[in-house]
Amino acid sequence: MSPLASKLAARIRAEGPVTVAEFMAAALGDPEHGYYRHRNPFGVQGDFITAPEVSQMFGELLGLWLAMTWHQTGSPAPVDVIELGPGRGTLMADAWRAARRIPGFTDAARVTLIETSDRLREVQAQTVGALIPAPRWSDRFAGTAEGPLLLIANEFFDALPIHQFERSAAGWCERLITVGDGDGGLDFTLGAPLPAEPPYLPARSKDAPPGSVWECCPQALEVVGEIARHLEAQGGAAIIIDYGHGRSAVGDTLQAVKDHQYHPVLEDVGAADLTAHVDFEALAYAAKQAGAAVHGPIPQGVFLRALGIEVRHRMLRENATEPQQVQLDAALNRLIGADEMGTLFKVMALTPEGAPPPEGFEAHV
Ligand code: SAH
């Protein structure tokens, strides 16, 4: 058993089973043994590769998107540029290098990185330190932005803890994690039937067959609500990129990944990454409730093509050696290929109500 699994098992023996959300929060964020606190998740040597780590093209195009959106919103100065869950800081560094070419934007930008892991904050400081003047860090979005806001979140929402509910013969029950009878390892179980339907269950899923799993992520809805309220009050735009579904649906999407392989969710707790699909319909609903306009979600491939990734790819290719060209081709395919990140990953933008669709979303309102 991993040290974190032992710690959780002791807690469960003392206090009873934990929810999937409590389990996920501990697995990723436990101050001693949480995945993001001590592992090096990203890249070939890590457990998974995110889009900014695939190629500089991703961050560069988002940097141009930020600068164009800044123009579109009237070039406010100062402007809060905030990234949620920056990982190694690669996206922000590439974005900044590209956005520097647009006069005025980087002079106006006040960068804040929202990161809970001290280890990753250090890595981010190294990545952006020589590049971005006086970046700030915060644990949370709430209270961080002061004026107009430009916000990016890539693969942030999939790491927030979800609750899972399972339809049993006796009705909907919350899925919990307990200590198994046999070897004392962690095991799934069900809580008592709920008096009502689980939170946010859409009408079309009310008659889901027994065994169906419904997931919801209250923390994601809360953060999106805060962002939306801020945009509505102060202006700006937010862009959320993640893997997930455009329409709410039942399905168990909790998954663990270790060394680039799927991994049993309850094994090596704290040493494997844990994520769940992002429910974009739920996020869009939370944003609209808070008064913002929602653009998309559109597939990542469509978005990156609209921003000109193929042109950028050709430019980089012209000055590249042959092995580099092979790498660039592979990266392009990884980012926009339909069977790679192009379709499963989605991009959604939030703006104040009545604002025009940001760059890349025009044709997809
Ligand atoms: N955006 C990066 C990294 C994605 S991994 C990339 O695309 O490469 C998720 C990131 O979110 C990590 O930096 C992790 O430490 C951070 N994170 C996870 N939960 C968080 C929380 N509740 N608050 C702030 N940051 C969090």
Side-chain angles (χ1 to χ4, degrees):
M1 236 201 231
S2 70
L4 184 54
S6 304
K7 187 172 171 180
L8 273 166
R11 172 173 162 195
I12 291 166
R13 274 190 223 97
E15 298 168 16
V18 295
T19 62
V20 171
E22 287 169 316
F23 170 76
M24 206 173 157
L28 296 179
D30 180 86
E32 249 178 312
H33 308 295
Y35 178 74
Y36 283 115
R37 304 298 173 115
H38 69 99
R39 294 277 294 192
N40 171 27
F42 313 102
V44 179
Q45 265 107 51
D47 292 305
F48 56 92
I49 297 186
T50 56
E53 305 294 337
V54 169
S55 164
Q56 69 189 74
M57 293 186 286
F58 186 79
E60 288 171 348
L61 290 172
L62 279 161
L64 292 176
W65 185 89
L66 284 172
M68 288 186 287
T69 308
W70 177 68
H71 258 299
Q72 203 181 25
T73 54
S75 310
V79 61
D80 280 305
V81 174
I82 295 188
E83 184 178 359
L84 305 182
R88 303 202 321 169
T90 309
L91 194 168
M92 188 53 88
D94 290 336
W96 190 267
R97 278 189 210 101
R100 253 194 323 213
R101 284 184 244 137
I102 310 264
F105 173 66
T106 49
D107 295 331
R110 255 188 333 217
V111 173
T112 307
L113 304 175
I114 309 295
E115 176 59 67
T116 40
S117 158
D118 290 336
R119 244 200 81 255
L120 287 175
R121 281 185 186 202
E122 278 173 32
V123 178
Q124 291 156 17
Q126 278 169 19
T127 314
V128 304
L131 202 60
I132 299 178
R136 296 181 294 186
W137 275 267
S138 174
D139 269 348
R140 60 189 63 236
F141 170 74
T144 307
E146 289 157 34
L149 168 68
L150 292 171
L151 179 139
I152 298 190
N154 184 60
E155 290 209 51
F156 169 75
F157 285 97
D158 66 358
L160 298 184
I162 57 157
H163 288 268
Q164 286 192 324
F165 301 90
E166 188 175 317
R167 176 102 192 234
S168 75
W172 287 97
C173 306
E174 180 146 15
R175 273 183 114 191
L176 303 172
I177 287 146
T178 189
V179 177
D181 298 332
D183 56 0
L186 300 177
D187 220 341
F188 283 106
T189 185
L190 291 184
L194 306 176
E197 268 145 11
Y200 311 107
L201 185 74
R204 59 179 174 271
S205 299
K206 290 201 196 306
D207 297 323
S212 301
V213 172
W214 168 247
E215 299 176 340
C216 75
C217 186
Q219 205 178 322
L221 304 180
E222 197 181 313
V223 176
V224 163
E226 285 160 0
I227 295 166
R229 272 190 295 279
H230 189 88
L231 291 174
E232 193 50 27
Q234 300 284 343
I239 189 160
I240 297 170
I241 306 164
D242 226 308
Y243 84 115
H245 39 275
R247 249 165 90 85
S248 302
V250 290
D252 177 2
T253 75
L254 183 65
Q255 69 175 37
V257 166
K258 189 167 182 278
D259 301 325
H260 303 272
Q261 304 278 330
Y262 291 113
H263 198 75
V265 166
L266 299 182
E267 269 178 33
D268 296 312
V269 185
D273 185 39
L274 264 189
T275 58
H277 275 213
V278 171
D279 180 347
F280 279 95
E281 187 179 346
L283 295 194
Y285 182 75
K288 286 179 195 156
Q289 286 288 100
V294 174
H295 309 271
I298 58 175
Q300 175 169 300
V302 171
F303 176 71
L304 293 177
R305 277 203 185 93
L307 292 192
I309 193 166
E310 285 149 327
V311 178
R312 182 71 186 133
H313 168 258
R314 266 201 303 279
M315 277 169 57
L316 288 169
R317 216 174 181 285
E318 272 166 21
N319 301 318
T321 62
E322 220 174 291
Q324 285 171 333
Q325 289 181 345
V326 172
Q327 259 182 1
L328 279 164
D329 296 349
L332 180 70
N333 184 48
R334 186 86 189 261
L335 292 174
I336 67 174
D339 51 353
E340 299 271 351
M341 301 175 92
T343 306
L344 179 60
F345 279 73
K346 306 208 167 36
V347 189
M348 187 168 93
L350 311 179
T351 62
E353 193 59 63
E359 198 68 31
F361 291 87
E362 294 90 344
H364 308 275
V365 188

